[in-house]
Amino acid sequence: MVIYLDVKIIRSKPVPNRKAEDAIDLFIAEWTRERPDLDFDYLATLGRVLRISAHLRESMDAWLSPFGLTWEMFDLVASLRRSGERDGMRPTDLYHACMLSSGATTNRIDRAETLGLVERRPDPADGRATRIALTRKGTALADKAMTQHAARAGDIAEALSAEERKRLGPLLRKLLRSMESKPARAKRLVVASVSRAPAP
């Protein structure tokens, strides 16, 4: 008697034959089949972080649109509003908060200024420097948009129980801190510079 096992083996690695529970499960199964020499365990965490981020950006653009804001513009005015600084923020602090290059930050500030949401002010601590501050219009818009944003984002977070969120938060904090530490940033800069270097 012959017994057939419903398991596919490629270089001693079983390929999951069950229906994928989400897109990342499918990606892991497909990559494991195509590149069994590589370890794709990272996709279980980082892959989901990236995919969740993409879904969130799409959702955020949708609920911010009625306020005339994209996620990028909301990120700018929300950073200024969150700082609580009446005199505004220095551009360098702003582009660190928004995780942008100085050029991209300047372009975003220019658009916000054209819309009447922010204004450039002299830095009271340094006459040669400039600060970016919300106008009254910008402050009011940031508050209205944040009310909607907090409610809608909270609805999404409720896919997890309070206990699950309590456990997940510290784990994500650990991962984020590992990437935002100075040594980690320096290492990424070195890797980026090497990758851009011309071949010998």
Side-chain angles (χ1 to χ4, degrees), residues 5-17 32-33:
L5 299 178
D6 188 22
V7 177
K8 299 177 182 178
I9 304 294
I10 298 179
R11 297 186 190 176
S12 301
K13 281 195 175 185
V15 177
N17 206 28
T32 300
R33 181 191 67 224

Side-chain angles (χ1 to χ4, degrees), residues 76-139:
L76 177 74
V77 297
S79 295
L80 289 166
R81 182 69 180 90
R82 183 179 68 244
S83 74
E85 296 287 345
R86 295 185 60 183
D87 292 323
M89 297 175 65
R90 293 179 177 177
T92 51
D93 295 331
L94 195 53
Y95 73 67
H96 284 308
C98 297
M99 293 187 66
L100 293 170
S101 67
S102 58
T105 302
T106 298
N107 290 336
R108 196 175 291 184
I109 291 170
D110 289 343
R111 293 200 303 272
E113 190 173 29
T114 299
L115 294 171
L117 302 179
V118 304
E119 61 185 7
R120 288 174 166 87
R121 297 177 180 174
D123 189 333
D126 183 353
R128 299 168 299 176
T130 300
R131 286 181 174 264
I132 311 302
L134 288 172
T135 61
R136 288 186 179 181
K137 177 182 177 180
T139 299

Side-chain angles (χ1 to χ4, degrees), residues 175-188:
L175 181 60
L176 180 60
R177 290 182 65 180
S178 74
M179 298 189 71
E180 293 193 338
S181 67
K182 289 183 178 179
R185 289 202 302 272
K187 182 179 179 180
R188 288 198 297 275

Side-chain angles (χ1 to χ4, degrees), residues 66-79:
F67 300 96
L69 295 171
T70 60
W71 163 251
E72 288 79 8
M73 190 59 66
F74 175 71
D75 189 26
L76 177 74
V77 297
S79 295

Side-chain angles (χ1 to χ4, degrees), residues 21-53:
E21 295 181 4
D22 66 10
I24 299 301
D25 288 324
L26 178 61
F27 296 165
I28 292 173
E30 290 175 337
W31 272 120
T32 300
R33 181 191 67 224
E34 297 300 319
R35 290 296 308 271
D37 57 310
L38 299 179
D39 183 357
F40 295 101
D41 284 351
Y42 72 90
L43 283 173
T45 49
L46 300 187
R48 287 188 171 94
V49 169
L50 286 170
R51 198 163 179 87
I52 289 169
S53 177

